[in-house]
Amino acid sequence: MFKHLLVPTDGSDLSEATVNRAISFAKETGARITYFYAQPDFPMPIYGEGALIDPTTPEQFAKGAEEEAQKILASARGKTEAVGVACATDTTVNEVPYEAIIDAAERHGCDLIFMASHGRRGLASLLLGSETQKVLTHTRIPVLVYR
């Protein structure tokens, strides 16, 4: 049924559990996986009284974000290839992770987005928002939410 999964990951424990479950799912269904990491953009400094001065340049920030992305994606790829599941990786810089996730799924022709959810409810859900919820409400691609 599903032959190409997009699995967004950020290296957190929850994402790692989702990667492991996606590997099992892909192996059982004969699907391939594209792992995706949405890199943060350089935060705009805010100057004024009490502002913290960060000596990091945009170039240093971008290099660090790219290195982090490659480390996380390499870990997922290694686990996946070890069990014989075909996979690829992708990363882009985007301030809006849910848009980057949807764009990656469309760009790679994925037929399922397999992603994690923290399962927050109530006020925490309202205040913190949810990239998973935003993906669910803005994409036409089926989404499997793993909690």
Side-chain angles (χ1 to χ4, degrees), residues 72-134:
I72 290 167
L73 294 170
S75 172
R77 180 180 345 169
K79 290 179 186 181
T80 307
E81 290 174 346
V83 297
V85 173
C87 71
T89 62
D90 185 24
T91 183
T92 59
V93 176
N94 193 318
E95 290 179 1
V96 187
Y98 84 88
E99 289 178 355
I101 291 166
I102 293 168
D103 179 61
E106 291 171 352
R107 192 172 61 251
H108 292 285
C110 297
D111 54 11
L112 179 69
I113 300 172
F114 191 114
M115 63 189 304
S117 173
H118 288 282
R120 292 186 182 103
R121 296 179 183 197
L123 189 58
S125 172
L126 181 64
L127 293 176
L128 296 174
S130 166
E131 296 307 314
T132 303
Q133 184 63 37
K134 292 172 190 168

Side-chain angles (χ1 to χ4, degrees), residues 57-69:
T57 66
E59 293 78 18
Q60 290 170 321
F61 184 88
K63 182 180 179 203
E66 178 68 26
E67 289 171 356
E68 181 72 6

Side-chain angles (χ1 to χ4, degrees), residues 1-3 5 24-31:
M1 180 176 190
F2 297 112
K3 295 298 176 197
L5 317 177
S24 296
F25 183 86
K27 189 166 180 74
E28 291 171 15
T29 62

